[in-house]
Amino acid sequence: MQLFLLLCLVLLSPQGASLHRHHPREMKKRVEDLHVGATVAPSSRRDFTFDLYRALASAAPSQNIFFSPVSISMSLAMLSLGAGSSTKMQILEGLGLNLQKSSEEELHRGFQQLLQELNQPRDGFQLSLGNALFTDLVVDLQDTFVSAMKTLYLADTFPTNFRDSAGAMKQINDYVAKQTKGKIVDLLKNLDSNAVVIMVNYIFFKAKWETSFNHKGTQEQDFYVTSETVVRVPMMSREDHYHYLLDRNLSCRVVGVPYQGNATALFILPSEGKMQQVENGLSEKTLRKWLKMFKKRQLELYLPKFSIEGSYQLEKVLPNLGIRNVFTSHADLSGISNHSNIQVSEMVHKAVVEVDESGTRAAAATGTIFTFRCLGEMWRTFNLAVTIHQ
């Protein structure tokens, strides 16, 4: 058995649920956290969330996958604020923005609205989303870029001494750990000695099931990683009325398990051998169709208690979605700084999810690292300017 899970609002996804009984067929974990796309993208030619998912799955076909498209897409949108020419076009087209029907301003206003709405106090679950900009004095950022980051993306700004790589890395990692309630630690494992700016996005989610699973009902059961590989896992179970549908076109069944508040986990159970068909057919349109088609049905649900972590170097993945120039010497980031030799050297993403009898805790962060290609010359220029000023 293979299972795919998504979550709605932050549409989250774990795996391994089984309906009625636990079938001994191959099971893989496919987990992802995503936003409801229409909240952000006014008109789309592509489906960024699932295009990215398929790119990550293709790069690591035998691994569990967990990531946050809302964190990654917001980071790219912020990056586009300071990009120009083909660099900007690649980012916007990669995100799926149809510039013939929608404006770039609508994209940024959509994210601004999302930030404002998701950070409102709410009953039932915790959800926080935010951004930060860490900058060195060696680089003069464009005032319009900094203003847009603060106004549209509500970004915090912090002065950072990147000449002290260990200190700068600790400053940024401590910030991310605090904002994600300790779930994302060591977002940065190392720091490029030429780094001058780092842009960070974070998201944290915590919710309780509307009806919790009974701890006494959790028992060790076989879990089929593949048809030949079996492991013992703590399996939760509960009989209840759930939202349910059978999608014959994609050969899968879908169960919606509600959280307290306005969020729902979607468990997708492909028919045997149909995991690839389901993955290829996933889209925002498909999810919206499912949400309209749900009917209440009494089911016995089995769900493994689990935690998953995913770490990705997005500069190696995003070129598959057409976003290339920003990671090369062809990058046009003149809207961020008037220094022509600035580029993005790395875009790191880390995400974690924990699912147990009480509910779900999940967090993710994305770090975009800007460097100068010829930093030695920049330091000499900067130091000379300081000397003259003194």
Side-chain angles (χ1 to χ4, degrees):
M1 177 182 64
Q2 298 176 319
L3 184 103
F4 197 97
L5 173 104
L6 301 167
L7 181 132
C8 277
L9 172 63
V10 176
L11 277 175
L12 194 103
S13 133
Q15 74 140 65
S18 117
L19 307 180
H20 186 61
R21 60 197 183 116
H22 192 54
H23 298 279
R25 303 202 301 267
E26 181 182 2
M27 180 183 286
K28 291 189 289 185
K29 294 180 180 178
R30 295 299 200 196
V31 186
E32 68 185 279
D33 159 58
L34 56 117
H35 61 280
V36 179
T39 305
V40 175
S43 180
S44 176
R45 289 175 178 163
R46 303 179 57 172
D47 193 325
F48 174 77
T49 291
F50 292 107
D51 285 347
L52 178 58
Y53 165 73
R54 282 181 277 269
L56 293 173
S58 176
S62 62
Q63 296 182 15
N64 298 330
I65 295 174
F66 181 63
F67 69 103
S68 173
V70 70
S71 176
I72 297 169
S73 60
M74 185 171 289
S75 296
L76 287 170
M78 291 189 293
L79 186 56
S80 74
L81 282 171
S85 60
S86 61
T87 303
K88 178 189 287 285
M89 291 302 298
Q90 286 181 3
I91 295 172
L92 296 179
E93 289 177 0
L95 284 172
L97 187 68
N98 186 344
L99 292 174
Q100 293 180 350
K101 297 182 179 179
S102 307
S103 68
E104 182 186 353
E105 182 180 356
E106 287 180 85
L107 176 74
H108 299 305
R109 292 295 181 188
F111 275 120
Q112 182 188 46
Q113 181 181 356
L114 185 69
L115 279 160
Q116 293 169 342
E117 290 179 354
L118 295 189
N119 286 311
Q120 290 295 318
R122 63 189 72 242
D123 295 328
F125 63 89
Q126 299 178 37
L127 181 61
S128 57
L129 176 66
N131 304 293
L133 200 59
F134 298 83
T135 63
D136 201 301
L137 292 176
V138 71
V139 59
D140 293 322
L141 297 184
Q142 301 282 18
D143 291 341
T144 52
F145 173 73
V146 176
S147 177
M149 285 289 293
K150 291 180 177 180
T151 303
L152 296 172
Y153 290 92
L154 313 182
D156 297 323
T157 56
F158 301 97
T160 303
N161 180 11
F162 285 100
R163 284 168 289 179
D164 176 11
S165 295
M169 192 161 58
K170 183 179 186 303
Q171 178 189 9
I172 295 165
N173 285 339
D174 286 351
Y175 173 86
V176 171
K178 179 180 179 181
Q179 299 301 327
T180 59
K181 310 296 189 290
K183 295 300 178 184
I184 302 295
V185 295
D186 296 333
L187 173 65
L188 304 179
K189 295 291 188 181
N190 50 64
L191 195 56
D192 191 311
S193 60
N194 290 337
V196 289
V197 177
I198 295 183
M199 186 168 63
V200 167
N201 170 274
Y202 65 85
I203 183 170
F204 174 80
F205 174 81
K206 181 180 179 180
K208 294 182 178 180
W209 301 117
E210 191 172 85
T211 302
S212 62
F213 290 81
N214 190 332
H215 287 265
K216 295 181 180 180
T218 301
Q219 299 180 356
E220 293 287 317
Q221 293 192 20
D222 288 344
F223 183 90
Y224 286 76
V225 180
T226 69
S227 56
E228 294 83 24
T229 305
V230 184
V231 296
R232 299 286 287 179
V233 300
M235 188 73 69
M236 307 181 295
S237 65
R238 190 178 84 232
E239 185 173 353
D240 204 345
H241 285 86
Y242 299 95
H243 291 291
Y244 173 86
L245 68 86
L246 171 64
D247 189 326
R248 298 184 185 277
N249 292 329
L250 286 187
S251 300
C252 67
R253 290 174 286 168
V254 185
V255 176
V257 184
Y259 295 103
Q260 296 177 13
N262 186 26
T264 302
L266 302 185
F267 294 87
I268 307 166
L269 182 62
S271 300
E272 188 170 7
K274 298 296 184 179
M275 183 68 166
Q276 190 67 48
Q277 179 181 336
V278 172
E279 289 181 334
N280 291 338
L282 285 172
S283 66
E284 180 187 327
K285 182 179 179 180
T286 299
L287 293 182
R288 293 188 179 282
K289 180 187 73 173
W290 285 347
L291 294 174
K292 292 179 180 179
M293 291 174 58
F294 272 139
K295 303 292 183 183
K296 277 291 187 75
R297 180 171 171 179
Q298 186 168 351
L299 301 168
E300 187 174 2
L301 179 67
Y302 290 86
L303 175 65
K305 181 177 175 179
F306 67 90
S307 62
I308 301 175
E309 177 178 317
S311 297
Y312 308 96
Q313 294 294 136
L314 296 175
E315 75 278 2
K316 299 178 181 179
V317 179
L318 290 173
N320 295 326
L321 275 65
I323 304 174
R324 301 183 181 89
N325 285 5
V326 71
F327 304 115
T328 72
S329 58
H330 301 294
D332 179 354
L333 296 173
S334 53
I336 294 177
S337 170
N338 56 13
H339 298 295
S340 60
N341 61 344
I342 195 170
Q343 71 179 67
V344 175
S345 61
E346 282 186 90
M347 196 170 185
V348 298
H349 181 72
K350 188 172 182 179
V352 298
V353 60
E354 300 168 356
V355 173
D356 60 20
E357 292 88 350
S358 62
T360 300
R361 292 161 300 284
T366 305
T368 306
I369 302 169
F370 298 81
T371 60
F372 281 134
R373 292 186 289 276
C374 304
L375 189 57
E377 182 63 32
M378 285 302 307
W379 282 125
R380 286 193 292 273
T381 303
F382 176 69
N383 290 333
L384 177 61
V386 171
T387 302
I388 292 174
H389 178 72
Q390 292 175 335

